[in-house]
Amino acid sequence: MNETVELIVFILRLATPFIMLIIIALCFLSLGSGRRDEHALIALDDEDKGIRYPVLYWENSLGRSRGSDIRIPDPTVSRDHAVLLRREKGWFVTDTGSKSGVYVNGKKTSGRCPVFVGDKITIGVTTLRLKRADAPAISNQRKKVKKPARFGTVSCSFILSLITALVVILSVEGMLYSGRTTALPHAAIFLAISWIFYALSVKVFQRRSFELESLALLLSGTGIILNAVHDQKQGYSQLIALFLGICVYCFMIWFIGDPDRVMKWRIIIYLLAIGMLLFTLLLGKSVNGAKNWIIIGPISMQPAEFAKIAFIFVGASTLDHLQTKKNLLGFILFTGICVGIFFLMSDFGTALIFFITFLIISFMRSGDFKTIILAVAAAILGVMLILSIKPYIAERFQAWGHVWDYAATSGYQQVNTFIYSACGGFFGVGLGNGSLQYVFASESDLVFGLASEELGLLAAILLSVTIGGFMLYSRAVTTRSRSAFYSIAACTAAGLLVFQAALNVFGVVDLLPLTGVTLPFVSYGGSSMISCWGLLAFIKAADERTYSQRRTKAQVLRSS
């Protein structure tokens, strides 16, 4: 490599993390703009007491409990008495197991009952009249919610152009360092998929934002080029998985657009997920000590990755279902079956991910730390029991915390990750120019170390920060989501991705045991790529802008 070429690739290496930073910053700043204010949708008037209760959300709990969205200070009202919810067909009220029932215009309700402006809803001895939000306030109106900070929106085509530039830079850098052109066709196919996806989203599906998808494309594109430079076949496998993942993403956006449709299919998803895991347990192949693979000819997949999506479908619910004991017991049973199957498969990393996901859902459903503490205590006792029955399981994690003592055996991967990551410095040794690529599972379990060595520590950290940003965004956007289903599903999906990323990153640096889980969107693995795009759909659906165009059309049709 002559001096001119060396200078060019050095500039490319320096530019990579800065382009990544610009893309990430623009996406998250743009995601924070354009959301509606939290103004009241309708109002409930207690005309006898002269109190107005603004209705701020699509799903609102009514009861005596302090945690109720609309708290009624009436001793005859149950703690969780009813739910007032909005759907595209209008407003409905549902009795959620109260003692005295719910009455609409003097008639006792059963199931969901439609309510209209002017109707009277009676719970306990309190009667509330449904009124438009623009009617004058009576008294005790809630304190107005502060408007969210707004930033100027950024053209998504400009962001995608930056991703295009980054992918081209990475593929050229890989060609110059490795001497192979394998990444160039992969880059061309990836960019074609990305721009077609963007055009369909904007023109056909009429989405008002593409920032979340851009972040996922940034992660996916970096991982694909990283894999393609080292192994052409793996690169093409990831491109196929990316295409399938985007298809799953688009289907799920449509499917979960109606939360009531999700609830109808919930039991079927429940049974399919259990059946899929049992099939894997009985007929699956054991790879690297975990019996979690289905291999049919040249096709291999991990059903556990798709079970993650099913787990969120089963755990998240609309608010009127959340307050029923039957719903909660069904979810706990489903969790126990899934975690138990993963232990029998010896897939402890996935079992841990499912358990943490269970804790997130449980807390969001109940908001009770006591429930979480009880679940963690039960899990600790269960793990101790398993270790006493099967002590060989503990041997799999004996290198944790002192991998240098096992540098030639069980700590070999992590020791090499330490060495070669340190060699990469802040800007890396160049794509395709690293040595960690010759260590087993460098493109999957150790991909954070591979990125640190070849792209540099700054780029590797930015990839991880992007995944972490999904959690912050989900937490912010769910305050305006249309249903408890979207709020729970989005935060759970983001939490799952973040925790899985933490297991991967901290596992390779020996802060946590090396469990063999992938870094979302980046690691090699077709099942993981498809699953990650499916999980992203939950986050996308929580943004009320995702379906705003469709709702506008529906309102026009109803008014015509």
Side-chain angles (χ1 to χ4, degrees):
M1 187 182 297
N2 59 45
E3 292 182 359
T4 303
V5 175
E6 286 183 356
L7 179 60
I8 292 173
V9 294
F10 178 72
I11 293 173
L12 294 180
R13 282 163 48 198
L14 294 180
T16 297
F18 291 108
I19 296 177
M20 283 185 176
L21 180 60
I22 293 172
I23 294 170
I24 295 166
L26 290 177
C27 284
F28 280 114
L29 289 177
S30 186
L31 281 169
S33 66
R35 297 201 299 270
R36 68 170 176 84
D37 296 332
E38 283 191 4
H39 56 77
L41 302 173
I42 55 172
L44 291 173
D45 284 357
D46 185 343
E47 296 175 337
D48 294 334
K49 297 179 180 178
I51 300 175
R52 160 157 293 189
Y53 301 99
V55 178
L56 302 177
Y57 312 113
W58 281 60
E59 294 181 351
N60 308 266
S61 57
L62 283 69
R64 199 177 72 253
S65 170
R66 291 184 179 181
S68 297
D69 296 312
I70 299 175
R71 187 185 180 193
I72 311 297
D74 178 353
T76 64
V77 173
S78 300
R79 290 179 58 81
D80 299 308
H81 199 110
V83 167
L84 179 67
L85 54 88
R86 175 182 175 182
R87 292 293 180 261
E88 292 185 7
K89 294 182 179 180
W91 286 92
F92 299 84
V93 66
T94 304
D95 184 356
T96 54
S98 66
K99 294 180 180 180
S100 58
V102 176
Y103 295 80
V104 174
N105 297 326
K107 295 182 179 180
K108 191 171 184 179
T109 65
S110 176
R112 284 187 182 177
C113 178
V115 289
F116 305 93
V117 173
D119 284 351
K120 292 183 177 181
I121 302 171
T122 302
I123 56 176
V125 297
T126 299
T127 298
L128 305 170
R129 185 183 291 275
L130 191 70
K131 289 194 173 182
R132 299 186 187 279
D134 55 358
I138 300 174
S139 66
N140 289 0
Q141 186 170 359
R142 286 186 180 180
K143 186 178 180 180
K144 293 183 179 180
V145 180
K146 292 182 179 180
K147 293 183 179 181
R150 297 189 179 279
F151 302 93
T153 56
V154 180
S155 170
C156 291
S157 60
F158 174 69
I159 294 175
L160 194 55
S161 298
L162 290 177
I163 295 175
T164 300
L166 177 66
V167 169
V168 171
I169 287 174
L170 292 177
S171 58
V172 170
E173 180 184 330
M175 178 188 67
L176 294 176
Y177 270 113
S178 66
R180 301 186 297 269
T181 60
T182 54
L184 295 179
H186 294 80
I189 296 173
F190 169 79
L191 294 176
I193 293 174
S194 300
W195 281 100
I196 291 173
F197 179 34
Y198 170 72
L200 290 173
S201 296
V202 174
K203 301 297 183 182
V204 179
F205 303 129
Q206 297 183 326
R207 303 285 182 230
R208 295 190 177 184
S209 64
F210 195 74
E211 297 90 348
L212 197 65
E213 295 90 335
S214 296
L215 291 169
L217 288 172
L218 168 65
L219 295 167
S220 302
T222 303
I224 287 171
I225 300 303
L226 194 62
N227 277 277
V229 168
H230 301 126
D231 190 311
Q232 187 175 15
K233 183 179 178 181
Q234 287 186 356
Y236 283 122
S237 296
Q238 287 298 90
L239 283 171
I240 294 172
L242 172 66
F243 173 77
L244 294 176
I246 291 175
C247 291
V248 169
Y249 173 84
C250 293
F251 169 78
M252 285 186 57
I253 292 293
W254 167 80
F255 182 72
I256 60 184
D258 182 358
D260 293 333
R261 175 169 53 213
V262 174
M263 297 309 298
K264 291 178 182 178
W265 282 83
R266 189 167 175 264
I267 298 299
I268 296 176
I269 295 172
Y270 184 116
L271 296 175
L272 286 175
I274 292 177
M276 184 171 54
L277 292 178
L278 287 174
F279 179 81
T280 307
L281 178 63
L282 296 174
L283 302 176
K285 302 294 183 181
S286 181
V287 179
N288 300 324
K291 191 179 181 181
N292 57 359
W293 287 87
I294 295 295
I295 301 176
I296 304 174
I299 300 175
S300 61
M301 61 179 177
Q302 285 184 291
E305 293 291 339
F306 308 119
K308 294 174 183 176
I309 299 174
F311 191 76
I312 295 178
F313 269 121
V314 174
S317 296
T318 54
L319 192 59
D320 53 338
H321 286 83
L322 283 180
Q323 297 180 181
T324 62
K325 293 181 180 179
K326 182 180 178 181
N327 183 288
L328 179 60
L329 292 175
F331 173 58
I332 293 174
L333 178 62
F334 180 68
T335 302
I337 293 173
C338 290
V339 173
I341 291 174
F342 290 131
F343 267 99
L344 293 175
M345 290 179 180
S346 295
D347 190 354
F348 306 113
T350 304
L352 182 58
I353 289 172
F354 268 62
F355 179 69
I356 296 299
T357 304
F358 166 75
L359 294 183
I360 296 173
I361 292 177
S362 298
F363 179 73
M364 292 197 68
R365 290 172 65 116
S366 66
D368 186 6
F369 280 105
K370 295 179 182 178
T371 304
I372 306 304
I373 294 172
L374 182 62
V376 172
I380 292 174
L381 290 174
V383 170
M384 292 176 63
L385 179 62
I386 291 172
L387 292 178
S388 64
I389 298 174
K390 298 183 177 181
Y392 68 89
I393 294 177
E395 296 177 3
R396 293 188 57 180
F397 304 105
Q398 63 183 352
W400 176 33
H402 41 275
V403 293
W404 292 97
D405 296 336
Y406 297 87
T409 54
S410 56
Y412 177 78
Q413 290 173 299
Q414 289 146 300
V415 167
N416 279 274
T417 300
F418 281 134
I419 295 172
Y420 296 128
S421 296
C423 294
F426 285 113
F427 300 101
V429 298
L431 201 60
N433 196 35
S435 299
L436 190 61
Q437 60 180 301
Y438 303 110
V439 176
F440 175 72
S442 62
E443 74 290 343
S444 53
D445 301 351
L446 311 179
V447 74
F448 180 79
L450 185 65
S452 296
E453 181 191 14
E454 299 193 358
L455 299 178
L457 182 62
L458 292 178
I461 290 177
L462 286 173
L463 294 175
S464 303
V465 167
T466 301
I467 300 172
F470 290 153
M471 190 69 216
L472 297 177
Y473 171 68
S474 298
R475 175 62 185 86
V477 77
T478 50
T479 59
R480 300 170 182 84
S481 61
R482 303 180 301 136
S483 168
F485 171 82
Y486 295 120
S487 299
I488 295 173
C491 287
T492 304
L496 190 157
L497 291 171
V498 170
F499 183 71
Q500 181 172 321
L503 283 180
N504 180 279
V505 173
F506 296 141
V508 298
V509 298
D510 201 31
L511 292 178
L512 291 174
L514 185 61
T515 53
V517 299
T518 57
L519 184 63
F521 296 101
V522 182
S523 290
Y524 172 68
S527 300
S528 176
M529 176 73 81
I530 297 171
S531 171
C532 288
W533 277 94
L535 293 171
L536 191 74
F538 289 118
I539 304 175
K540 180 72 173 181
D543 188 342
E544 62 92 25
R545 294 174 296 174
T546 300
Y547 303 102
S548 58
Q549 187 72 19
R550 188 186 69 184
R551 292 201 304 274
T552 301
K553 289 182 178 179
Q555 291 170 358
V556 171
L557 290 174
R558 286 199 300 269
S559 63
S560 61

